[in-house]
Amino acid sequence: MKFRLHIAKFLSPPLILVGGFMLIITIGTILLMLPISNQSGEHLAFIDALFTSTSAACVTGLVVVDVGTTFNLFGQIVIMVLMQLGGLGFMTIATLFALVLGKRISLKDRLLLKEAINADSMEGIVRIIRKVLIFSFTIEGVAAVILALRWATEMPFWQAVYYGAFHSVSLFNNGGFDLFGNSFQYYTGDWLFNVTASVLVVSGGLGFVVLNDLFEFRKRRRLSLQSKLVLSVSGALIGIGAIVLFVFEFTNGHTLASLSWSEKIYASFFQSVSTRSSGTSTIDITQMRQATQFFFILLMFIGASPGSTGGGIKTTTFLIMIGAVYAMIRGNKDIVFFRQRVPKELLMRALTIIMVSLIIFMVVVMLLLTTEDAPFLSLMFEAASAIGTVGLSVGVTHELTVWGKVIIAFTMFIGRIGPLTIAYALRPRKEKKLYRHPEGRIIIG
């Protein structure tokens, strides 16, 4: 019998993805509301449970209640499972169970998997998913052991094991949740933690297609254009972000000034990595200079790479627009990377994603300015963190009104699913036109 997810024929893959995430968030909300999830033994308020479930399933990390002190072991495990489901995607996890049970994957399910990981074709999609699952669980497991051994020196062994597993899942899936209450500010100068956490965040943010490409590099001895672009722009953004943070915060007594040189470097690098979509920190974000916070808004808006556990407009979208600007300035008709031309359709898609995301971002900021009593830059930072599913905050999240929580929760959902996916899910069936309008001339610039 073929493996099927009981998908109605009239439902498109984008609509299935939207509905799947809504189902995960709903189940998470119900579980987190239950008294068995909370240390107080009482029901958690619906809006707080919804916000936390959305933040976990959309792997963001913004919180309105402290995870370590509000939720007990059961509640924290619910959050960890939500992050794993939200990071890898419910279709990927469903495929895992199908493979374990020896079921076949139908053609429509393969189409849905292609949409879920942003692959360019269905060729070898199940093989890619299998390798991604192996890679993901392996790196999470190895990192969990490393972190557990590190924390076993300062807490009971089994607590260290649990902390290692929870934070390994959180970091790899760019979840942004932690059990320490102040993210990882205790480990600013800890090289072992910084290296392990950075590898987790970067690996989760590269994208499943790129992970598969790297997985097979020893066999093929070459990388696809997608992988070359993702690795190049990700490395450049991390490097630029680290340099900007180091320069702007070097004399700030609340962030880097009091740290040693090695701690300054660790903190600058880790915080730049974190803006890719991780949402964790080793220094106090609220004490950063406004110039640094604004630059972080730009990095969070760009986000991680396509088909990854992170959000944002994606690194390749940003790079295509930079390539378009460069080509226009140079008088070239084509956008070329590594001697390969980018199709015009991708440029239109990239422009659409950026414009839709900017419109959503501006609307969210305007709504927050209406409902919340906080500085403009702080609300702008919060909106960028939500739409980029990053999870960094300058202290506004805990003070949100009910309407503010609803706005941010909805923004996190849009940021994780992607504005275009939601648009495709809601649009009517496309009818092919049998004609084209005549070309017109417009003066711009």
Side-chain angles (χ1 to χ4, degrees):
M1 180 182 296
K2 291 184 178 181
F3 165 65
R4 296 184 181 277
L5 296 177
H6 306 290
I7 302 173
K9 292 183 179 180
F10 62 88
L11 295 181
S12 64
L15 189 58
I16 297 297
L17 293 178
V18 173
F21 269 97
M22 291 179 66
L23 178 62
I24 293 173
I25 291 171
T26 302
I27 295 174
T29 301
I30 295 173
L31 291 176
L32 293 178
M33 284 180 62
L34 298 176
I36 60 173
S37 297
N38 305 301
Q39 293 192 17
S40 64
E42 300 177 353
H43 287 282
L44 184 67
F46 169 75
I47 186 61
D48 292 340
L50 174 64
F51 190 98
T52 305
S53 178
T54 304
S55 184
C58 297
V59 286
T60 304
L62 291 173
V63 291
V64 290
V65 294
D66 184 74
V67 176
T69 58
T70 302
F71 299 102
N72 56 23
L73 180 61
F74 178 78
Q76 292 171 9
I77 290 177
V78 169
I79 291 175
M80 182 166 63
V81 172
L82 288 172
M83 287 190 293
Q84 190 74 80
L85 290 173
L88 295 181
F90 73 97
M91 272 304 302
T92 306
I93 300 299
T95 303
L96 170 63
F97 285 109
L99 294 174
V100 170
L101 296 175
K103 304 295 184 181
R104 293 184 60 187
I105 313 297
S106 70
L107 179 62
K108 187 153 190 176
D109 294 333
R110 291 171 189 266
L111 182 63
L112 190 54
L113 284 170
K114 169 184 171 293
E115 188 77 24
I117 68 171
N118 282 350
D120 55 358
S121 71
M122 289 190 296
E123 182 180 356
I125 191 69
V126 177
R127 185 176 67 253
I128 293 176
I129 293 296
R130 185 186 294 113
K131 290 179 180 178
V132 166
L133 287 169
I134 293 173
F135 182 88
S136 301
F137 292 137
T138 299
I139 194 171
E140 283 182 357
V142 172
V145 171
I146 295 174
L147 293 175
L149 293 175
R150 166 63 186 85
W151 286 325
T153 61
E154 56 188 51
M155 62 180 68
F157 177 75
W158 289 113
Q159 183 183 0
V161 171
Y162 170 63
Y163 269 47
F166 183 95
H167 292 101
S168 177
V169 171
S170 177
L171 289 165
F172 179 78
N173 292 286
N174 286 228
F177 283 80
D178 72 276
L179 301 176
F180 293 100
N182 65 344
S183 199
F184 301 111
Q185 294 180 29
Y186 295 124
Y187 305 99
T188 305
D190 190 321
W191 70 270
L192 180 61
F193 169 81
N194 278 269
V195 171
T196 305
S198 297
V199 170
L200 282 168
V201 174
V202 172
S203 299
L206 288 178
F208 297 153
V209 175
V210 177
L211 289 181
N212 178 69
D213 217 12
L214 293 174
F215 193 83
E216 296 188 344
F217 179 74
R218 292 182 61 182
K219 182 192 303 182
R220 297 181 177 179
R221 291 297 175 183
R222 62 183 178 83
L223 293 174
S224 65
L225 177 62
Q226 168 78 9
S227 298
K228 291 178 182 178
L229 294 180
V230 166
L231 294 172
S232 299
V233 70
S234 296
L237 289 174
I238 290 173
I240 293 172
I243 293 172
V244 170
L245 174 61
F246 186 87
V247 172
F248 278 68
E249 299 296 319
F250 187 83
T251 58
N252 187 344
H254 299 290
T255 54
L256 297 186
S258 60
L259 303 179
S260 65
W261 272 93
S262 61
E263 290 176 332
K264 284 184 173 68
I265 294 174
Y266 290 150
S268 299
F269 180 79
F270 181 81
Q271 212 53 65
S272 179
V273 168
S274 183
T275 58
R276 312 304 321 124
S277 199
S278 164
T280 50
S281 60
T282 54
I283 54 178
D284 191 352
I285 302 295
T286 63
Q287 299 298 322
M288 284 183 175
R289 293 192 168 107
Q290 290 189 346
T292 311
Q293 293 178 354
F294 180 76
F295 185 73
F296 272 27
I297 290 174
L298 301 179
L299 292 178
M300 291 190 296
F301 189 78
I302 296 172
S305 300
S308 70
T309 59
I313 63 171
K314 302 299 187 294
T315 53
T316 48
T317 303
F318 171 72
L319 189 59
I320 287 176
M321 294 309 301
I322 294 296
V325 172
Y326 179 78
M328 180 62 68
I329 293 175
R330 295 294 301 270
N332 299 328
K333 292 184 178 181
D334 298 322
I335 305 171
V336 179
F337 295 113
F338 295 100
R339 298 183 179 180
Q340 295 188 56
R341 177 171 51 86
V342 176
K344 296 294 184 182
E345 310 88 74
L346 286 184
L347 174 60
M348 294 299 295
R349 184 181 177 91
L351 179 61
T352 303
I353 291 173
I354 291 176
M355 289 306 300
V356 172
S357 299
L358 275 175
I359 292 172
I360 294 173
F361 175 65
M362 290 187 293
V363 170
V364 170
V365 172
M366 291 175 65
L367 291 175
L368 290 176
L369 287 170
T370 304
T371 63
E372 311 304 310
D373 182 18
F376 171 73
L377 184 63
S378 298
L379 295 177
M380 191 176 179
F381 193 98
E382 201 79 7
S385 182
I387 199 170
T389 67
V390 178
L392 293 176
S393 177
V394 288
V396 174
T397 315
H398 286 84
E399 307 298 327
L400 290 174
T401 63
V402 173
W403 280 111
K405 293 175 183 178
V406 172
I407 293 168
I408 292 297
F410 186 66
T411 307
M412 290 188 292
F413 179 76
I414 294 176
R416 181 64 184 101
I417 298 296
L420 275 191
T421 301
I422 295 178
Y424 289 157
L426 299 178
R427 72 179 178 181
R429 291 184 178 274
K430 182 173 62 174
E431 296 182 2
K432 186 176 180 180
K433 292 185 177 181
L434 302 178
Y435 61 91
R436 293 181 68 187
H437 293 285
E439 187 179 84
R441 295 293 181 180
I442 301 175
I443 300 175
I444 62 174

